[in-house]
Amino acid sequence: MIVALLAGTALLLVLALAGAVARGQGPRLYAAAAIVTALSAVLALASLASAPATLTLPLGLPWLGWHFRLDPLSAFFLFVVDLGAASASLFAIGYGRHEEEPGRVLPFFPLFLAALQLVVLADDAFSFLFSWELMSLASWALVLVHHRDRESIRAGYVYLLMAVLSGFALLLCFGLLAGGAGAYGFAAMRLAHPAPGLAALALLLALLGTGAKAGLVPVHAWLPLAHPAAPSHVSALMSGVMTKVAVYAFLRIAFDLLPVPPGWIGLIVLALGGITAVLGVLYALMQHDLKRLLAYHTVENIGIIFIGIGLAMVFRAAAGEEAAAALALTASLFHVFNHSVFKSLLFFGAGSVDVATGTRDMERQGGLIHRMPRTGFFFLIGCAAISALPPLNGFVSEWLTFQAILLGPGLPEWGPKILIPVDGALLALAAALAAACFVKAFGVTFLGRPRSAAASAAEEADRFSLGAMGVLAALCCLAGIFPAVVINALAPTARTLVGAAMPTQSFFHAFVPWGAIIPVAAARSSYDGFAIFLLLVAVTGLAIGAARRLAAHAVRRAPAWDCGFPDPRPETQYTATSFAEPIRRVFGPAVFGAASAVRMPAPGSLSPARIRSALRDRLWEIFYAPVAGVVERLATSADRLQFLTIRRYLFFVFAALVALLLALALTQ
Amino acid sequence: MIGPPVIEALQMALVLLAAPGLVGIVRAVKARLQRREGPPLVQPYRQILRLLAKEVVLAENASWLFRTAPYLILALTWAASSVVPTFSTGLAFAPLGDLIVITALLGAARFLLALAGLDIGTSFGGIGASREAMFASLAEPAMLMIVVTLAIAAGSTQLSTIAAFMLSPAAGLRFSFALALVALVIVALAENGRIPIDNPATHLELTMVHEAMVLEYSGRHLAMIELAAALKLLLTISIIACIFFPFGLGLPGFAGFLVGLLSYAMKLGIAAILLGVFEVSIAKMRVFRVPELLGAGLMLGLLGTLLLYVSRGL
């Protein structure tokens, strides 16, 4: 199995080489990548429940070799990676034709896919870090595809800096784990028992390193810059898949390589998750660039995933709470799968809109549901799924997370007792705000009247793009309607990580008892996606049927009523900014330091009234601006060293030598 | 003996039939308190029937979403109400979902309604949708915090279990329940667009929220929306009654069934009168005062939860 998977990775590397040579063959390359990754996805799915398999190749460090391992955890994440990769490749067969410089995409896209697979399969620190950096660099090259765009350059710069930070933190983390003897194999790390303080430090470094890749607040700032800058199929991969690989890395280190960490680290993860979820969605609400809005929602969903992981860590640290830990972890993994599916779908939709109208700015769109009905339908399913609406998949994972939160009062310590319900409130707030945000995203982009000439002349996406979106939309529905299948499939992974799994969920019962998912006990809580779906279909059918039989059939098209004053100009519609204005007024002053000023002309004056509102990125001001300032100042003062005479340089060399010798003499 | 499927079918029919009547009672109470004659109690039924008989005037750029949303909104509300124990706890659909699922189904209905408000591209539709989104972003978390409070006390989010717990002596009188009740009433007022949050009787442009979203609807579509709104009012009252006043629920035998039915009718009547009196005696808030009220609801819910985390007895 593992050999076949690696053969697939090797094929992707060959495709990367082919992409560098044969630039006109974009669609064929994408088709080949789609087939290879789809096959890998099937293989990964098949090995979800199988025993760990390992393989060593004579590559990498000569005394270490290149270790690979396929266990239930890596199989699950490999499935997520390959599913996203296959759908992105399928989407790109059509979408890639619109790329102006395909030569800048084609070599790096398969390389990126191969690197994603290699990270998940790596079983020693060297190969892991090598693949990790390969993943960062390949995606960095893809962010810079539109390299003449000023925003892309800034995005690429910030991304590179944060990738370096992330890689550096992980390097130190693995250094601590490997110990003085330099045992870089994961197998050796599992057996080593580092001192508690050292283990905690390693875990915090892992949180920093993987959080910076996943987009955890406050190390998220690169994400909403870099993800939208790349072509849309790459954005989908970065948001839907690469952030999940970062989650994988954290799970691997925290739950597999290290011994059970103390509960307070779980509390840190829990707090960061809650803050990330709410801030991510609030930032998303303030955007009117469709792809940037989606990127901020990735931050939010990473927060939700980390809430689940934090809960699992807290429960795991407490005695006798394995079942609760399994529930929290399953919820988190379910959300990993869900988010990868609907975020890819939404980015594909945004890419199609971008191609059709030539802009990502929502304020210049509108009414696209008429011009692009299929894209609109699939995008709507994605919006409903990410807003956690039943019977779609996003609801199930958030519901499971809530059920895990409700198990919090069983814990004896005070920290979790206070923090878990607060996190519940943050999760609820994030979910409700996400629904508001996607009403805005879909409503302003696809509904209403076109706000620009390009929007009123938009064309439906090609069939490959629609196919990719259709598959993902169907997955959103299926995973929501048959959640028991997903939960059962996640059981081996949960068992690998926390030593327990959720009770096996029954489905396809002959309706009595219903095939409801029951996280803990039937009297406690249950949810039956399939029955809800059937009920909704039946009741909707009943309503439509009754209306057909009882009601008048006449339909007349007429101008909009609008209280008697319809205005044909599309500018009179609500825009993305005006839609979010009430929420900005409620949350803005506290979170963004928002200030707005209205300038009203004097009565009788014909000049227009103006409103000017300004938002500040407090996170940037607190976490990034000071660091940038210190670096700047250091660089300026070090700048003086650049223009000295050779005598002075020689003096410095001499002084350094003396200082070092003195230090040596003192320490010996 | 009456089996769960029969009770379920009976309940689903009953809630749909009773919902417009409930609206009629609220309107009659308000009319009387304002010294008006007021419409007869059956007026909401007449209104729905008349709307069904009228032609649909559809705005020129209405999409398929606008035309299907009313049916889906009614279906989501109706499906949510099929899980709430109204006059009996023995519901066949009870395992379908818990209180969180009910909240989410109502949230889905609201999501569609807000989208329908944006579909025509008029400024009123936009104002309604955007304000509704703001209310919902505070009301839904408040609702979920209430759910958490109840779930910690009763050890369940399943409504029938919560009702059984509230009937048992273990429930007692607790401070956190009082907080949850106040929060739930605030949320219920917001969910249904009642005074002081929104005025269901208004057609004054700048004060509308719910009415602004449905401004472009007519004919059978409007009938579905009106029915769904009435059903939602009945549903939220039923949830409050089921959680905090579960008297008459879960009694055995046919007599118990009748007692449940009668006490449910009584609870609905009392709630309608209270709502009417409340609405007449208070003024509508400015839109941007509403977040303070809903934020208070959220904080009350969170406070109740924290109290229970500190001690299960509070």
Side-chain angles (χ1 to χ4, degrees):
Chain A
M1 196 68 91
I2 193 166
V3 177
L5 286 169
L6 286 173
T9 312
L11 271 178
L12 288 175
L13 290 173
V14 172
L15 284 178
L17 283 179
V21 184
R23 296 194 168 181
Q25 300 293 325
R28 286 200 190 147
L29 269 170
Y30 284 127
I35 292 168
V36 170
T37 46
L39 287 176
S40 302
V42 173
L43 287 181
L45 196 60
S47 47
L48 259 182
S50 48
T54 56
L55 181 76
T56 312
L57 291 182
L59 295 166
L61 296 181
W63 61 91
L64 184 66
W66 197 304
H67 295 263
F68 297 99
R69 188 165 189 264
L70 185 68
D71 60 0
L73 176 64
S74 47
F76 167 68
F77 277 92
L78 194 63
F79 174 67
V80 169
V81 165
D82 282 326
L83 182 68
S87 57
S89 308
L90 178 62
F91 175 76
I93 296 176
Y95 173 82
R97 287 178 221 270
H98 305 285
E99 190 54 59
E100 284 156 20
E101 293 179 79
R104 289 186 157 267
V105 183
L106 288 181
F108 299 113
F109 183 73
L111 186 68
F112 184 36
L113 298 184
L116 289 167
Q117 294 182 341
L118 284 174
V119 173
V120 179
L121 286 172
D123 196 34
D124 65 271
F126 176 79
S127 64
F128 181 93
L129 283 173
F130 181 83
S131 319
W132 182 269
E133 297 296 350
L134 190 64
M135 170 180 93
S136 297
L137 285 175
S139 53
W140 173 73
L142 289 166
V143 166
L144 282 178
V145 163
H146 304 287
H147 60 115
R148 287 178 221 287
D149 186 1
R150 194 174 283 272
E151 268 188 45
S152 287
I153 295 172
R154 174 158 181 254
Y157 177 65
V158 177
Y159 178 35
L160 200 61
L161 282 184
M162 296 302 282
V164 167
L165 173 75
S166 150
F168 193 59
L170 282 179
L171 188 69
L172 289 177
C173 164
F174 282 125
L176 287 177
L177 287 178
Y184 287 108
F186 282 177
M189 290 181 190
R190 277 185 202 104
L191 296 176
H193 288 282
L198 219 58
L201 185 60
L203 190 53
L204 289 178
L205 281 168
L207 183 62
L208 176 66
T210 58
K213 205 75 187 165
L216 212 54
V217 169
V219 278
H220 70 288
W222 64 275
L223 192 152
L225 297 173
H227 288 192
S232 290
H233 56 303
V234 179
S235 310
L237 274 180
M238 291 178 80
S239 255
V241 173
M242 193 173 73
T243 54
K244 306 307 173 304
V245 170
V247 171
Y248 160 81
F250 185 71
L251 288 176
R252 175 65 78 195
I253 296 171
F255 286 81
D256 186 25
L257 299 184
L258 280 169
V260 178
W264 60 268
I265 301 190
L267 287 185
I268 293 179
V269 175
L270 200 58
L272 282 178
I275 294 168
T276 302
V278 170
L279 284 180
V281 68
L282 279 175
Y283 274 85
L285 265 163
M286 300 304 133
Q287 311 303 318
H288 52 86
D289 175 331
L290 189 52
K291 281 176 78 175
R292 182 162 296 168
L293 180 147
L294 292 176
Y296 269 117
H297 267 285
T298 299
V299 175
E300 181 225 344
N301 281 281
I302 285 296
I304 295 173
I305 289 168
F306 270 91
I307 288 177
I309 295 176
L311 281 171
M313 291 173 78
V314 170
F315 284 128
R316 188 166 169 244
E321 296 279 356
E322 287 86 8
L327 172 59
L329 191 72
T330 309
S332 181
L333 293 174
F334 202 153
H335 203 72
V336 163
F337 169 75
N338 288 344
H339 182 247
S340 80
V341 172
F342 50 60
K343 189 47 64 75
S344 295
L345 166 60
L346 290 168
F347 264 115
F348 295 164
S352 302
V353 167
D354 188 4
V355 164
T357 63
T359 175
R360 306 186 320 226
D361 189 354
M362 288 158 63
E363 314 286 35
R364 302 178 57 75
Q365 280 149 1
L368 292 180
I369 197 170
H370 301 284
R371 308 286 311 178
M372 313 171 73
R374 296 202 183 103
T375 307
F377 180 69
F378 296 141
F379 198 81
L380 178 62
I381 289 188
C383 288
I386 199 173
S387 306
L389 302 184
L392 297 170
N393 59 352
F395 173 71
V396 186
S397 45
E398 294 196 14
W399 185 79
L400 286 174
T401 311
F402 252 103
Q403 297 302 331
I405 284 174
L406 289 176
L407 292 176
L411 291 169
E413 297 95 354
W414 278 100
K417 262 188 201 288
I418 302 296
L419 200 58
I420 290 180
V422 171
D423 249 45
L426 291 176
L427 177 62
L429 193 61
L433 286 169
C437 191
F438 278 96
V439 167
K440 167 180 131 168
F442 187 80
V444 175
T445 312
F446 283 93
L447 303 179
R449 287 169 286 160
R451 293 180 179 82
S452 66
S456 52
E459 296 277 341
E460 178 63 285
D462 58 275
R463 61 204 155 101
F464 293 106
S465 306
L466 286 175
M469 286 188 264
V471 169
L472 294 181
L475 275 177
C476 283
C477 298
L478 286 175
I481 294 170
F482 302 108
V485 183
V486 184
I487 292 173
N488 291 344
L490 287 173
T493 310
R495 208 167 285 124
T496 314
L497 295 186
V498 293
M502 275 177 69
T504 306
Q505 306 293 326
S506 57
F507 58 102
F508 290 137
H509 265 294
F511 287 164
V512 185
W514 299 79
I517 50 172
I518 297 161
V520 187
R524 190 178 173 93
S525 55
S526 61
Y527 169 66
D528 191 336
F530 184 51
I532 292 260
F533 174 71
L534 282 185
L535 181 63
L536 284 176
V537 168
V539 175
T540 313
L542 198 64
I544 292 178
R548 281 254 166 84
R549 290 197 68 120
L550 300 176
H553 289 231
V555 173
R556 180 158 55 90
R557 288 275 180 176
W561 157 235
D562 209 12
C563 270
F565 295 96
D567 192 325
R569 288 170 299 176
E571 293 83 26
T572 56
Q573 300 178 84
Y574 254 53
T575 59
T577 310
S578 51
F579 183 89
E581 200 264 352
I583 293 178
R584 187 169 66 231
R585 261 174 85 159
V586 176
F587 295 98
V591 181
F592 302 108
S596 61
V598 182
R599 202 167 58 81
M600 272 302 209
S605 159
L606 290 179
S607 63
R610 287 188 190 283
I611 179 163
R612 186 184 297 275
S613 66
L615 297 180
R616 283 162 49 194
D617 190 345
R618 288 251 169 101
L619 290 174
W620 184 273
E621 288 172 14
I622 294 171
F623 290 101
Y624 292 84
V627 176
V630 168
V631 171
E632 175 85 27
R633 237 173 295 136
L634 280 178
T636 319
S637 50
D639 197 31
R640 263 179 283 160
L641 291 176
Q642 204 179 349
F643 305 103
L644 301 179
T645 58
I646 191 111
R647 270 181 303 131
R648 291 228 175 143
Y649 281 128
L650 284 174
F651 170 73
F652 279 133
V653 170
F654 179 69
L657 199 62
V658 168
L660 282 176
L661 284 173
L662 271 178
L664 197 65
L666 285 175
T667 51
Q668 287 283 312
Chain B
M1 194 56 225
I2 306 168
V6 180
I7 295 181
E8 184 66 65
L10 204 61
Q11 157 157 343
M12 287 192 73
L14 184 80
V15 290
L16 203 62
L17 288 176
L22 184 71
V23 174
I25 299 176
V26 177
R27 284 190 194 156
V29 170
K30 284 175 76 172
R32 281 306 155 97
L33 289 173
Q34 291 164 340
R35 304 196 69 178
R36 287 188 286 120
E37 183 72 23
L41 283 180
V42 293
Q43 187 60 33
Y45 295 100
R46 286 188 191 160
Q47 203 172 339
I48 286 169
L49 288 178
R50 175 175 298 176
L51 283 172
L52 282 175
K54 282 190 176 272
E55 72 168 348
V56 170
V57 182
L58 212 55
E60 267 145 9
N61 68 328
S63 69
W64 58 266
L65 185 81
F66 188 79
R67 301 180 68 162
T68 44
Y71 302 104
L72 285 172
I73 289 165
L74 179 64
L76 284 161
T77 318
W78 203 9
S81 67
S82 73
V83 192
V84 182
T86 53
F87 55 86
S88 168
T89 45
L91 292 175
F93 288 167
L96 257 62
D98 57 1
L99 203 43
I100 303 177
V101 176
I102 295 171
T103 314
L105 285 170
L106 292 179
R110 185 191 354 245
F111 186 84
L112 283 173
L113 191 61
L115 284 183
L118 287 168
D119 187 48
I120 310 293
T122 59
S123 40
F124 285 126
I127 205 173
S130 124
R131 287 176 175 181
E132 180 79 6
M134 185 252 291
F135 293 170
S137 68
L138 289 166
E140 272 182 20
M143 182 68 201
L144 283 173
M145 279 296 99
I146 298 161
V147 174
V148 174
T149 307
L150 295 167
I152 292 166
S156 169
T157 48
Q158 214 71 15
L159 264 177
S160 45
T161 315
I162 295 177
F165 170 79
M166 287 298 195
L167 279 172
S168 72
L173 278 176
R174 301 189 196 198
F175 188 55
S176 55
F177 288 168
L179 296 181
L181 177 60
V182 174
L184 189 54
V185 169
I186 293 175
V187 170
L189 291 171
E191 283 277 349
N192 289 292
R194 311 300 303 195
I195 292 176
I197 283 117
D198 185 14
N199 188 352
T202 187
H203 272 277
L204 183 65
E205 287 88 348
L206 293 175
T207 61
M208 299 186 291
V209 179
H210 179 85
E211 293 300 320
M213 282 191 289
V214 305
L215 196 61
E216 301 293 331
Y217 274 118
S218 58
R220 55 176 185 271
H221 296 153
L222 188 56
M224 295 294 151
I225 298 267
E226 298 263 314
L227 190 56
L231 192 56
K232 194 172 174 186
L233 179 63
L234 181 115
L235 169 64
T236 35
I237 290 177
S238 303
I239 291 176
I240 296 176
C242 164
I243 294 172
F244 292 103
F245 309 99
F247 322 117
L249 272 180
L251 297 174
F254 188 69
F257 174 78
L258 283 184
V259 170
L261 212 53
L262 276 177
S263 56
Y264 180 58
M266 206 178 66
K267 288 179 217 170
L268 281 186
I270 292 174
I273 293 170
L274 284 179
L275 180 60
V277 173
F278 178 74
E279 285 205 309
V280 169
S281 52
I282 198 164
K284 192 189 160 302
M285 279 184 168
R286 278 181 58 207
V287 168
F288 285 100
R289 293 283 305 282
V290 173
E292 291 167 24
L293 179 68
L294 290 174
L298 177 60
M299 283 303 128
L300 287 176
L302 187 59
L303 201 59
T305 307
L306 283 173
L307 282 179
L308 281 177
Y309 262 79
V310 172
S311 160
R312 294 275 181 102
L314 278 170

